[in-house]
Amino acid sequence: MIIDAVSVFPEMFEPVMSTSILGRARRAGLFEFHAHDLRDWTHDRHRTVDDEPYGGGQGMLMKVEPLAEAIEAIAAEGPRPHVVFFTPCGSPFCQATAERLATYERILLVCGRYEGMDERAYAFADERISIGDYVLTGGELPAMVVADAVIRLLPGALGDEMSNRDESFSTEDDGGLLEYAQYTRPAVFRDMAVPDILLSGDHAKVDAYRRADAIERTCRWRPDLIDAASLTPEERDRARTLIERYHGRQTSETE
């Protein structure tokens, strides 16, 4: 897989892309990453990438010309990328989006700055994504978030291919639930003990306990995920009871 990012601060990416799981996967050749400086596509001596908005208003906007030229130039080298812009009006980023993006041969992450972009720049987007309802200084951090979520899905990136399937929000085995609680040594810490069943060595009972725990944690902390979760009829009945206990309400399908 090839991941490109275009930014006015391309140096922000290298520490992340060369560290930990991402760094190992990159050194193993599981993906290529290239950060491009947007200012390379400017044509004035000040390398200007922003200007005042027509009609007035606060701050500066990113100009459309360098963005368009950068995207076209990057796309002309190698496979055509799937172009992603980050914007508050984008679709909320989730695990299913990461799994879909991981199927592309190449993605290009376009990082905004300042008060936003000239609206015409979005004509070059294949997809718009938002990572949350809050304000950041620029699109570099969202791009890193998306890249991290995508790269860890690449075959071989985690080493243990089951790791992705057991994590929170995975759309595979856990059916969209939060991950079950996990523990390690010591068995008792300040009167807080690891559940006995996890020490039993009975794998079937451990699996059943973890499934029930995942459902309970999801009902307690993220009840909004329950409606879309893959549950048996018995599990869904239990989930309704748990949500009423924790939140004093039922899931939407019973309202």
Side-chain angles (χ1 to χ4, degrees):
M1 182 180 204
I2 303 171
I3 301 175
D4 294 276
V6 60
S7 163
V8 294
F9 295 105
E11 66 275 11
M12 290 180 63
F13 290 92
E14 192 58 31
V16 173
M17 293 299 164
S18 60
T19 304
S20 187
I21 290 172
L22 275 62
R24 290 197 299 271
R26 188 180 182 186
R27 291 189 291 272
L30 301 184
F31 74 98
E32 296 179 20
F33 179 80
H34 308 284
H36 306 271
D37 189 342
L38 180 62
R39 297 187 190 277
D40 290 343
W41 285 277
T42 58
H43 305 285
D44 66 300
R45 66 188 182 91
H46 298 295
R47 307 182 77 198
T48 305
V49 296
D50 62 317
D51 206 339
E52 297 176 352
Y54 282 123
Q58 296 295 317
M60 305 288 278
L61 291 179
M62 296 187 75
K63 294 164 61 68
V64 64
E65 300 102 321
L67 286 165
E69 291 186 29
I71 294 168
E72 290 172 343
I74 294 168
E77 299 179 358
R80 185 194 180 282
H82 181 75
V83 181
V84 177
F85 278 58
F86 298 99
T87 167
C89 62
S91 300
F93 185 64
C94 63
Q95 188 65 18
T97 307
E99 292 172 1
R100 176 173 52 77
L101 290 175
T103 66
Y104 287 101
E105 182 179 6
R106 187 184 186 195
I107 58 175
L108 170 56
L109 308 174
V110 180
C111 305
R113 278 271 160 176
Y114 314 114
E115 289 298 314
M117 297 183 181
D118 185 307
E119 186 67 22
R120 292 166 293 185
Y122 292 107
F124 298 90
D126 294 313
E127 183 169 1
R128 306 183 191 197
I129 285 176
S130 169
I131 67 164
D133 296 338
Y134 44 85
V135 179
L136 296 173
T137 305
E140 289 79 14
L141 291 176
M144 293 181 210
V145 168
V146 169
D148 186 297
V150 168
I151 291 165
R152 62 188 292 109
L153 294 172
L154 301 178
L158 298 183
D160 179 0
E161 292 308 308
M162 292 300 292
S163 295
N164 276 321
R165 301 177 67 177
D166 287 338
E167 292 180 323
S168 298
F169 310 117
S170 170
T171 57
E172 295 191 44
D173 285 358
D174 68 2
L177 299 169
L178 295 181
E179 190 175 9
Y180 48 79
Q182 300 189 74
Y183 305 85
T184 188
R185 293 178 179 83
V188 179
F189 173 71
R190 296 182 181 176
D191 297 327
M192 294 181 286
V194 174
D196 290 338
I197 195 168
L198 298 179
L199 309 177
S200 69
D202 188 323
H203 295 299
K205 289 183 178 179
V206 168
D207 288 345
Y209 170 83
R210 285 175 166 172
R211 174 70 177 179
D213 190 53
I215 293 171
E216 180 160 0
R217 286 165 63 84
T218 306
C219 291
R220 182 172 186 176
W221 304 115
R222 289 294 304 275
D224 55 298
L225 299 176
I226 287 296
D227 280 352
S230 298
L231 303 177
T232 66
E234 293 78 13
E235 289 173 337
R236 196 160 293 282
D237 286 341
R238 178 168 176 265
R240 294 190 188 104
T241 300
L242 288 168
I243 290 175
E244 286 188 82
R245 178 194 304 171
Y246 289 125
H247 306 284
R249 63 178 180 81
Q250 296 180 323
T251 55
S252 62
E253 66 178 37
T254 63
E255 292 177 341

